[in-house]
Amino acid sequence: MALRRVEYVGYAFGDVGNNLTFSMVAAFLLIYYTDVAGISAATAGILFLVARVWGGVTDLVAGRTVDLTSTRWGRFRPFIAFGAIPLLVLLVLLFSIPSGLSPGLRTVWAFVSYLLFSLAYSFVNIPYGSLAAAMTQSPDERAKLSSSRSIGASLTILAIAVVVSPQISAASNLQRTLTLTTIGFAVIGYLSYLFCFSTAHENIQVRAAKVSIGQTVSMLRQNRPLLLLCLATLLFLTGMFSLQTVAVFYARDILGSADLYIVLTLIQTLAMVGAAMLVPSLAGSMGKRNTYLVAALVVVVGGAGVAFAPTGWTALSIIAYGVLGLGTGTVNTLIFAFQADTVDYGEWRSGLRAEASNYALLSFTRKAGQGVGGWAAAFALSLGGYVAASGSQPQSALTAIRVAAGAIPAVLAIAAGVVMLVYPLSEKVFRTLVAELAERHARAGVEERES
């Protein structure tokens, strides 16, 4: 059964809410810490690593909790509606470190607020990501859902850039401006989550396995496609978030104006939206794995351009950034389609179905990649001698920004592609196992009625 258009739109709005929180943090928290809160790049890098790996751990806890949940609204949707409130409050607190605090207390505020934010995000994002596997079992429909969420995410990232980037250089009181901005994002984000809750329904009524932690771990260990996907995702996201963490630095210090971050985000968004729209047809004709491998090569080309474009060649840098966005958008869209397929593989292989635990393991590796990528970018700035709130940077710092923005994503895209070369779950194999699962469910239903 095909999903209704409103279900695609509603699911996309869930990722609008996610990105008003997560992408705001990924793009602007480092520059907020260094240039507004007075926290060193090295300390911020450690914070990113600790908080995001901690967020991966809380993802596993959230996955276990969600799989044991049953309500009249379903297993996933209540977390989206009610968990959004503390998440959005914590977004505001992240960007509202009181200026009157001592340097030590500002660092404590940063650590505590980010750790709590990561915890709250887990209990919204894990059920949201798990919801796709419960909406449909059709690989084509799942590819469309992944495309819808990618389009929603990309447009939201562009909107964030348009709103926030001019504030970096023009705001007379950047602290006050960012606090007000995040309050506005919190309101819009909650409306987006409510729309997702109201329209994206759990159509696949398969009861989640009530299993022990040991059984869950055993089930996940048997899921080879999921483990390979997690490894590739860890590598790819490390590179992607190295870029995202320093993108505003790249615009301001390499291209000459923080306002050019809007242009970079626009070209990248157009590329990512185009990629998301093409993924269903490309995956249908080439297969998801081959599409992933081609996209990884595109990331390599774009990353090389971002890293090595000569100073002053702004147009070339922007084009390379767009090529990078085309590749990363394609891979990021495919990751979620792959993950939904691995849920069914896990049930077929072990007899146990646990969407949230499955998604939580992938999300753990995503958070680890995000943490390592953010740390690598901040560490590169520190190693390069970045000078906070300065009108000019030493050449070593400029080189560090180029490496974090282009070279690291390119190298790690190659590594992720090598891992996906051995990914075993082709479209033909997947359709066969789904048919077998349908037969099992039908037999189980007959036996339950006869007992």
Side-chain angles (χ1 to χ4, degrees):
M1 181 182 70
L3 296 175
R4 295 174 298 141
R5 181 175 298 179
V6 70
E7 292 180 277
Y8 296 122
V9 176
Y11 190 68
F13 265 88
D15 226 22
V16 171
N18 281 346
N19 280 277
L20 283 171
T21 58
F22 186 81
S23 290
M24 176 65 184
V25 169
F28 293 104
L29 192 58
L30 179 59
I31 200 167
Y32 171 74
Y33 280 161
T34 57
D35 289 23
V36 179
I39 298 171
S40 71
T43 300
I46 294 171
L47 172 54
F48 283 171
L49 182 61
V50 171
R52 289 174 181 172
V53 173
W54 156 253
V57 174
T58 60
D59 282 351
L60 298 176
V61 175
R64 175 72 178 166
T65 302
V66 172
D67 276 334
L68 296 175
T69 297
S70 178
T71 75
R72 64 189 179 95
W73 296 295
R75 289 191 292 128
F76 310 119
R77 294 164 61 240
F79 289 93
I80 296 172
F82 303 116
I85 297 172
L87 170 64
L88 294 165
V89 170
L90 285 161
L91 170 68
V92 178
L93 293 179
L94 269 180
F95 287 90
S96 301
I97 300 177
S99 58
L101 294 180
S102 66
L105 287 178
R106 287 199 297 270
T107 301
V108 170
W109 181 294
F111 267 88
V112 172
S113 60
Y114 203 170
L115 291 175
L116 291 175
F117 173 85
S118 297
L119 173 64
Y121 187 76
S122 292
F123 277 87
V124 175
N125 183 55
I126 294 301
Y128 170 75
S130 304
L131 180 59
M135 290 178 69
T136 177
Q137 285 185 309
S138 165
D140 294 335
E141 295 293 299
R142 285 176 175 175
K144 292 176 183 177
L145 281 174
S146 294
S147 295
S148 298
R149 91 176 268 181
S150 294
I151 291 171
S154 299
L155 294 177
T156 305
I157 292 169
L158 175 60
I160 291 170
V162 170
V163 171
V164 180
S165 294
Q167 301 174 17
I168 300 300
S169 56
S172 58
N173 186 337
L174 187 55
Q175 174 62 81
R176 180 176 179 276
T177 301
L178 287 175
T179 297
L180 293 174
T181 298
T182 51
I183 290 173
F185 285 172
V187 173
I188 297 170
Y190 191 63
L191 294 175
S192 299
Y193 282 129
L194 283 182
F195 184 61
C196 177
F197 170 82
S198 301
T199 56
H201 300 294
E202 300 173 32
N203 301 310
I204 307 301
Q205 300 299 324
V206 178
R207 184 175 299 175
K210 306 296 183 182
V211 297
S212 68
I213 294 176
Q215 287 175 302
T216 301
V217 172
S218 176
M219 174 194 66
L220 296 174
R221 287 176 61 188
Q222 295 179 53
N223 196 327
R224 184 166 176 260
L226 176 61
L227 296 178
L228 288 171
L229 176 63
C230 286
L231 177 57
T233 300
L234 173 64
L235 294 167
F236 183 82
L237 265 292
T238 296
M240 179 177 167
F241 275 82
S242 176
L243 165 65
Q244 191 165 353
T245 302
V246 299
V248 68
F249 294 87
Y250 188 84
R252 186 187 64 183
D253 299 315
I254 302 298
L255 303 185
S257 171
D259 289 348
L260 285 175
Y261 180 67
I262 299 174
V263 179
L264 291 177
T265 306
L266 174 61
I267 192 71
Q268 185 182 52
T269 299
L270 292 174
M272 293 177 73
V273 170
M277 295 175 67
L278 289 174
V279 160
S281 59
L282 290 175
S285 60
M286 298 170 54
K288 289 194 286 291
R289 184 181 66 178
N290 289 338
T291 304
Y292 184 108
L293 296 175
V294 171
L297 291 176
V298 174
V299 171
V300 173
V301 174
V306 167
F308 299 112
T311 301
W313 291 38
T314 304
L316 178 60
S317 297
I318 292 173
I319 292 171
Y321 202 89
V323 172
L324 193 52
L326 181 65
T328 56
T330 301
V331 171
N332 213 30
T333 299
L334 286 168
I335 286 172
F336 300 113
F338 278 123
Q339 182 274 329
D341 292 351
T342 65
V343 171
D344 296 309
Y345 178 88
E347 182 185 4
W348 174 81
R349 181 73 173 78
S350 67
L352 303 175
R353 185 179 183 88
E355 292 99 329
S357 294
N358 180 293
Y359 186 81
L361 182 60
L362 175 65
S363 188
F364 174 84
T365 59
R366 287 179 65 87
K367 292 288 181 64
Q370 293 158 9
V372 176
W375 168 81
F379 180 74
L381 292 186
S382 179
L383 195 64
Y386 173 77
V387 182
S390 173
S392 62
Q393 297 294 333
Q395 185 60 45
S396 58
L398 300 179
T399 300
I401 293 171
R402 288 179 177 273
V403 169
I408 291 177
V411 170
L412 292 178
I414 294 173
V418 170
V419 172
M420 290 302 289
L421 280 172
V422 296
Y423 182 82
L425 198 56
S426 67
E427 273 66 23
K428 181 179 179 181
V429 171
F430 178 74
R431 292 180 191 279
T432 300
L433 72 86
V434 166
E436 290 183 17
L437 281 176
E439 292 179 6
R440 291 183 196 176
H441 295 159
R443 287 197 302 269
V446 171
E447 292 172 359
E448 185 176 342
R449 288 193 297 271
E450 291 178 349
S451 62

